[in-house]
């Protein structure tokens, strides 16, 4: 398993980590299989979405904020319940197929680390089973 460090710079943002995942798969040396990308944090997430128009990421962040507003009548004393909810909505992991040694992603897809309670130092675990990587 490889662990990638991600430094986020605002309370909520998406960080494109596709290149890190590509590196992990290349170093694992597999031709075919599956790669798991996992976020070990309860106020962040992993998702796959569009990388062409940056407004898509902004709309995703704004849409999630409408679903789970930062300032609302939450019970949790840390004041970051919106981030916990956004984390669960998007999920802690993503799986990507590997074929001919490359990630199988659509033309406009990237893998994003999704920060919802930053800025923070974060980790992402990337595992390619059966390779020790
Ligand atoms: Zn909390």
């Amino acid at each position: 398993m490889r662990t990638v460090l991600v430094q986020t710079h605002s309370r909520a943002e998406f960080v494109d980590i596709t290149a890190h995942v590509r590196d992990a798969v290349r170093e694992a040396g597999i031709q075919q299989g599956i790669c798991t990308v996992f976020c070990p944090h309860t106020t962040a997430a992993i998702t796959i979405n569009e990388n062409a128009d940056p407004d898509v990421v902004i709309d995703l962040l704004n849409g999630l904020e409408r679903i789970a507003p930062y300032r609302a009548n939450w019970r949790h004393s840390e004041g970051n319940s919106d981030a916990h909810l956004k984390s669960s909505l998007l999920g802690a992991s993503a799986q990507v197929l590997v074929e001919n040694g490359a990630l199988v992603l659509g033309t406009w897809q990237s893998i994003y680390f999704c920060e919802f309670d930053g800025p923070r130092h974060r980790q992402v675990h990337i595992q390619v089973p059966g390779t020790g990587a």
Side-chain angles (χ1 to χ4, degrees):
M1 183 178 82
R2 167 187 286 215
T3 299
V4 173
L5 303 178
V6 178
Q7 172 67 55
T8 60
H9 298 94
S10 50
R11 183 159 196 276
E13 69 177 290
F14 282 19
V15 180
D16 189 334
I17 58 169
T18 310
H20 293 296
V21 181
R22 281 208 174 96
D23 288 347
V25 167
R26 188 182 312 116
E27 287 179 20
I30 62 162
Q31 287 302 301
Q32 188 178 57
I34 195 160
C35 173
T36 299
V37 183
F38 179 77
C39 162
H41 307 288
T42 61
T43 55
I46 302 293
T47 197
I48 297 175
N49 216 302
E50 178 168 327
N51 59 22
D53 179 359
D55 280 341
V56 172
V57 164
I58 293 169
D59 283 345
L60 288 172
L61 286 166
N62 289 340
L64 288 165
E65 185 62 24
R66 282 197 288 274
I67 293 167
Y70 179 23
R71 301 291 182 203
N73 191 25
W74 307 108
R75 291 177 57 97
H76 176 45
S77 63
E78 282 187 319
N80 60 356
S81 281
D82 69 305
H84 288 292
L85 179 50
K86 290 162 185 163
S87 170
S88 279
L89 286 171
L90 269 58
S93 66
Q95 289 192 309
V96 185
L97 300 176
V98 177
E99 189 68 40
N100 297 321
L103 295 175
V104 179
L105 288 170
T107 304
W108 310 117
Q109 285 183 318
S110 275
I111 306 163
Y112 289 100
F113 176 85
C114 309
E115 175 64 82
F116 297 118
D117 195 25
R120 294 192 192 211
H121 297 287
R122 299 292 206 173
Q123 296 183 345
V124 176
H125 301 312
I126 303 166
Q127 190 181 57
V128 185
T131 64

